[in-house]
Amino acid sequence: GYPFVPGSSLKGVLRSEMERLLNGLGKHVCSPDKLCDPEKECTVCKLFGGREVAGSIRVRDAYTDSRRTMVRDGVRIDRKKRKAADGGYYTMEVVPRGTKFKGRITIENPKLGEYRYAKLGALLGTVRFFNATSKSLGGGVSRGFGEVLIVPRLIREITADDYLEGRYEGRELVSLIERDDLGEILERGELPMSPDDAVDRFIGDWKGYVEAMEDGGKEP
Ligand SMILES: [Zn+2]
């Protein structure tokens, strides 16, 4: 079949990036091995799902339309003996550098507290943070594989009215500006989207929400 990025792995990576970001700001988030009580979920559980609740962000599998893969051989080294470990030869199937995967992320109700687009801003802010810092997904990172950039291309809003009226594509909020230096821009942590003040506004909603959170404590 075609190579793909499982939605669950991308979601897991975004979740831990957001945990890292909020922890760094001294805000309360639960840890993956001890998720929140369903009655009082932290922001990360609200977005990505908790023990019982599904969360508002859904990430679909991302596919590529190329079947091209390569097989790489590797050797696991036994550190003590300083030679190839017994049975330490492995092969892994990888995609060529530059392979593009396309996927879709859905946010149900982008509002958090009083902030209309806080969840959307949270997602965009996390993507920005990911591109500017870790850029890694999946296994094989230590062996030089799994470097990725996440490029938001198009953001649409679909309201309940849209559904009722049969406008299932909703309304376009922002879209990617094609640039030759896209990679560079993304790695700097910018999201080249138009209108660019829209992205700032969404992230502004998220910042507003985070600033209103008590340090280490309650949600606003
Ligand atoms: Zn939690």
Side-chain angles (χ1 to χ4, degrees), residues 82-109:
R82 294 194 180 182
K83 60 173 190 140
D86 292 338
Y89 295 92
Y90 62 86
T91 58
M92 56 195 280
E93 197 180 7
V94 298
V95 295
R97 195 178 174 83
T99 302
K100 293 189 176 90
F101 293 87
K102 275 186 200 163
R104 187 185 286 236
I105 298 178
T106 314
I107 302 173
E108 201 178 281
N109 183 13

Side-chain angles (χ1 to χ4, degrees), residues 21-42:
L21 200 68
L22 287 173
N23 268 323
L25 292 168
K27 306 296 179 184
H28 162 76
V29 282
C30 63
S31 62
D33 51 341
K34 195 177 178 298
L35 295 177
C36 298
D37 282 337
E39 299 83 49
K40 36 176 186 171
E41 290 187 311
C42 70

Side-chain angles (χ1 to χ4, degrees), residues 70-194:
M70 305 175 297
V71 172
R72 286 278 175 271
D73 296 316
V75 180
R76 257 187 299 277
I77 302 296
D78 185 316
R79 282 172 207 277
K80 279 186 193 145
K81 296 182 196 156
R82 294 194 180 182
K83 60 173 190 140
D86 292 338
Y89 295 92
Y90 62 86
T91 58
M92 56 195 280
E93 197 180 7
V94 298
V95 295
R97 195 178 174 83
T99 302
K100 293 189 176 90
F101 293 87
K102 275 186 200 163
R104 187 185 286 236
I105 298 178
T106 314
I107 302 173
E108 201 178 281
N109 183 13
K111 195 173 170 183
L112 269 177
E114 293 303 304
Y115 301 89
R116 184 166 172 202
Y117 289 109
K119 287 180 193 166
L120 175 57
L123 181 66
L124 291 172
T126 304
V127 164
R128 198 180 235 182
F129 185 60
F130 173 87
N131 286 342
T133 57
S134 82
K135 293 193 275 280
S136 58
L137 184 68
V141 171
S142 60
R143 282 157 272 172
F145 299 111
E147 189 179 300
V148 296
L149 283 175
I150 303 171
V151 187
R153 297 184 62 83
L154 181 65
I155 302 171
R156 291 182 172 281
E157 179 171 48
I158 307 163
T159 62
D161 277 346
D162 288 329
Y163 277 117
L164 286 176
E165 304 291 331
R167 293 187 301 265
Y168 301 118
E169 289 296 295
R171 171 174 76 97
E172 184 176 320
L173 290 180
V174 277
S175 63
L176 182 81
I177 310 164
E178 290 295 347
R179 294 276 299 263
D180 293 336
D181 49 355
L182 200 60
E184 244 171 76
I185 293 175
L186 288 162
E187 286 184 33
R188 278 206 303 273
E190 293 170 41
L191 298 177
M193 302 196 80
S194 168

Side-chain angles (χ1 to χ4, degrees), residues 43 51 58 64 88 96 113 131-132 139-140 146 157 166 172 189 200:
T43 310
R51 262 193 305 190
R58 249 159 301 172
T64 174
N131 286 342
E157 179 171 48
E172 184 176 320
D200 290 339

